[in-house]
Amino acid sequence: AAAASAAAAAPVFAYGRAPSTRGGALSRGVEGLLEARGSLHEFEFSGAPDLTPSREDPFLQQVVNGASHAAACFGPGRPLYLVGHSAGARAALHALCRPDMRSQLPRSFTGLVAFAVPPAHAAPKLGELPPGDRALLFAGARGGAVAATE
């Protein structure tokens, strides 16, 4: 019973990746780290990422849809973290800062883990996060924490 309870409480990591793994993929080490702590649910973005405010809606909606699909696959009782790399991380951060997108995330949404996010892009958005949202941002794919919120 304890093992079943622990599995039910293990987090789900919803990771949006580019169709080509040339530049937007997590390292195998990071994937292994996430899988050792919970379940990794990958979804694939379509189209070129454009985070210009007037054109970002389709890309942000893919983040929301991927998170909702992950929650549906693994059950609503498990904590859900968005995971992103580069443009996918920026898209997740933008989605969290937009009330219309944030309100569509599953109730189990717990936080964001973002890799390869340039500090110049992340810093302004961190100030727009709703109070209580958790985010851990790394400047590079393998190290150097930019910021963490609680």
Side-chain angles (χ1 to χ4, degrees):
S5 176
V12 174
F13 300 102
Y15 167 55
R17 64 177 179 80
S20 166
T21 58
R22 284 179 287 144
L26 294 175
S27 70
R28 293 202 190 282
V30 170
E31 284 186 8
L33 179 72
L34 296 174
E35 288 174 332
R37 284 158 179 74
S39 301
L40 182 61
H41 177 84
E42 292 185 59
F43 61 96
E44 194 169 281
F45 289 116
S46 64
D50 187 345
L51 296 174
T52 304
S54 63
R55 296 187 295 255
E56 70 183 0
D57 284 8
F59 204 57
L60 302 188
Q61 193 62 56
Q62 291 181 61
V63 171
V64 170
N65 293 347
S68 296
H69 187 255
C73 287
F74 290 97
R78 293 178 64 180
L80 175 72
Y81 289 86
L82 288 172
V83 177
H85 178 273
S86 191
R90 287 183 57 209
L93 185 56
H94 282 232
L96 294 178
C97 294
R98 293 254 315 260
D100 60 324
M101 295 290 170
R102 177 71 172 82
S103 68
Q104 296 178 54
L105 287 172
R107 290 167 46 129
S108 59
F109 171 74
T110 305
L112 168 67
V113 181
F115 297 92
V117 180
H121 294 291
K125 285 294 178 190
L126 284 176
E128 296 177 30
L129 282 174
D133 267 11
R134 296 176 178 171
L136 178 61
L137 284 72
F138 293 90
R142 292 184 179 87
V146 173
T149 65
E150 179 74 38

